[in-house]
Amino acid sequence: MKSVLLVDDSSTMLMSLKSTLEISGFKVDTANDGSVALDKIKAGLKPDLIITDINMPKMDGITLIQEARKILRFTPILALTTESQQGKRDEAKKLGATGWLVKPVTGTDLVKVVKQVVPGA
C-alpha cells in the first residue's frame, strides 16, 4: 500500500483529502503545518508522496519542500494551494516540487495526479 503525507492547516481540507485518498487505497498521514510534517519525516516517516499546502503558519509549504528535499531526495512532492502565481510555482519547482495543483481540486483529479507521480500506485 502506497503512503501519502498530507500537509494543510485546514482540518476540513485534511479530512476531505484523507478520505478521498484512503477510499482509493492509500495509507494517509497528516500534519497541520510544515514543521509538524518535517518532524514526522525526521522521525523516520518515508511517504511515497507528500502533498502540501503553501500558505500555512509556522512553516509554509515552500520551506517544507526545501527541507523535506534534503531528507527525501526522490519522493514526489505536490503543492496543493489556492496560490496561482507563476513566481511561487517557479520557486517551488526550483526547490524540488514535482507538481502544482490549484484548489479546489476534485477527488477524481487528485487521485489521477497521484497515480501519475507515484510509481505503482
Side-chain angles (χ1 to χ4, degrees), residues 2 15-17 21 25-26 31 34 37 42-43 50 63 82 84 100 112 114:
K2 298 293 183 175
M15 283 188 330
S16 169
L17 295 172
L21 291 168
F26 294 91
K42 286 180 175 176
I50 298 169
T63 306
T82 55
S84 56
W100 189 277
K112 193 167 118 186
V114 168

Side-chain angles (χ1 to χ4, degrees), residues 6 10-21 105 110:
L6 288 176
S10 162
S11 57
T12 305
M13 186 58 74
L14 281 178
M15 283 188 330
S16 169
L17 295 172
K18 181 176 182 179
S19 83
T20 297
L21 291 168
V105 65
L110 176 67

Side-chain angles (χ1 to χ4, degrees), residues 44-101:
L45 182 66
K46 290 185 171 53
D48 295 299
L49 170 67
I50 298 169
I51 301 175
T52 183
D53 188 12
I54 294 299
N55 298 312
M56 297 179 288
K58 293 186 193 163
M59 180 187 290
D60 67 6
I62 297 286
T63 306
L64 173 61
I65 291 166
Q66 183 177 20
E67 294 303 310
R69 210 26 98 214
K70 294 174 184 174
I71 302 164
L72 303 170
R73 292 187 43 217
F74 303 109
T75 301
I77 302 174
L78 295 175
L80 176 62
T81 179
T82 55
E83 285 281 344
S84 56
Q85 296 174 347
Q86 192 60 46
K88 285 268 191 199
R89 285 178 168 196
D90 293 344
E91 184 181 4
K93 194 151 189 74
K94 187 180 85 182
L95 293 173
T98 310
W100 189 277
L101 296 164

Side-chain angles (χ1 to χ4, degrees), residues 3-8 14 18 27-47 49-51 59 64 67-68 71-72:
S3 64
V4 178
L5 174 58
L6 288 176
V7 189
D8 200 308
L14 281 178
K18 181 176 182 179
K27 178 183 180 301
V28 181
D29 281 290
T30 61
N32 61 2
D33 72 58
S35 62
V36 173
L38 191 60
D39 287 345
K40 287 184 176 202
I41 292 165
K42 286 180 175 176
L45 182 66
K46 290 185 171 53
L49 170 67
I50 298 169
I51 301 175
M59 180 187 290
L64 173 61
E67 294 303 310
I71 302 164
L72 303 170

